[in-house]
């Protein structure tokens, strides 16, 4: 029941009505909101759990690598919530560099991954199918050198 209540809360709090600029048709859209998915320190709990598994079970010694993998885990969590709650697969009216028509879902998932890796502070460059240009995601101030940071390509 708790999972269902959380899902209902996330869905009702983050759903908005959008109008397709081409057809004028209204559709429900999931507005991705970190605060609803990460309430009650769930994000910190997931990160600490994954951090412990990576370090204790698999012996990963590089703290920046652990942080990067935890960020990708968080991105996966947010994409999963988007996929579970996206009811209408509507087109955004744009195409990616591959020539594919972009769905609002594609763009929202792309944004969720970019947000997670920016928050981690250990990535410097990222690119995706939806955002193929190498994008600077490095924090404004960091003590890490470029050699200590990661680059990411994803779809």
């Amino acid at each position: 029941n708790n999972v269902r209540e959380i899902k209902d809360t996330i869905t009702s709090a983050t759903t908005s009505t959008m109008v397709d600029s081409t057809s004028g048709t209204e559709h429900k859209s999931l507005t991705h909101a970190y605060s609803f998915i990460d309430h009650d320190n769930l994000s910190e709990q997931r990160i600490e759990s994954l951090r412990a598994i990576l370090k204790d079970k698999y012996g990963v010694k590089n703290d920046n690598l652990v942080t990067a993998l935890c960020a990708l885990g968080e991105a996966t969590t947010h994409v999963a919530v988007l996929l579970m709650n996206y009811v209408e697969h509507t087109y955004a009216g744009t195409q990616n560099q591959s020539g594919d028509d972009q769905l609002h879902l594609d763009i929202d998932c792309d944004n969720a991954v970019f947000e997670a890796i920016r928050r981690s502070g250990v990535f410097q460059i990222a690119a995706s199918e939806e955002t193929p240009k190498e994008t600077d995601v490095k924090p404004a101030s960091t003590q890490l050198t470029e050699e200590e940071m990661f680059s990411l390509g994803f779809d």
Side-chain angles (χ1 to χ4, degrees):
N1 271 346
N2 283 345
V3 172
R4 184 69 185 148
E5 287 173 23
I6 291 169
K7 184 178 177 194
D8 290 344
T9 301
I10 291 168
T11 303
S12 65
T14 60
T15 302
S16 61
T17 301
M18 297 179 70
V19 178
D20 187 306
S21 59
T22 311
S23 66
T25 309
E26 286 189 2
H27 65 275
K28 295 281 187 201
S29 176
L30 188 70
T31 304
H32 189 64
Y34 272 77
S35 59
F36 292 105
I37 297 170
D38 295 340
H39 68 86
D40 294 335
N41 296 320
L42 290 176
S43 177
E44 288 83 9
Q45 291 174 26
R46 288 188 302 266
I47 289 171
E48 286 310 310
S49 177
L50 181 55
R51 184 175 297 282
I53 292 168
L54 291 169
K55 287 182 166 254
D56 300 340
K57 184 172 181 176
Y58 293 102
V60 179
K61 305 268 188 254
N62 184 319
D63 285 331
N64 293 339
L65 178 57
V66 170
T67 300
L69 292 171
C70 288
L72 295 176
E74 281 302 290
T76 302
T77 298
H78 289 265
V79 168
V81 169
L82 285 165
L83 292 173
M84 286 187 305
N85 291 289
Y86 240 95
V87 178
E88 296 185 28
H89 296 268
T90 56
Y91 290 99
T94 56
Q95 290 184 332
N96 60 28
Q97 291 291 325
S98 303
D100 297 331
D101 290 329
Q102 291 180 304
L103 294 169
H104 287 104
L105 176 61
D106 295 333
I107 295 168
D108 286 347
C109 288
D110 196 68
N111 289 338
V113 175
F114 271 104
E115 179 66 21
I117 63 174
R118 280 188 176 102
R119 286 179 176 213
S120 75
V122 297
F123 289 90
Q124 66 175 339
I125 298 289
S128 70
E129 182 180 15
E130 307 309 321
T131 311
K133 180 181 172 203
E134 290 182 351
T135 304
D136 184 354
V137 294
K138 183 172 39 180
S141 64
T142 181
Q143 295 179 351
L144 299 178
T145 66
E146 285 188 4
E147 291 78 28
E148 295 173 308
M149 299 183 88
F150 297 93
S151 298
L152 178 67
F154 64 94
D155 180 17

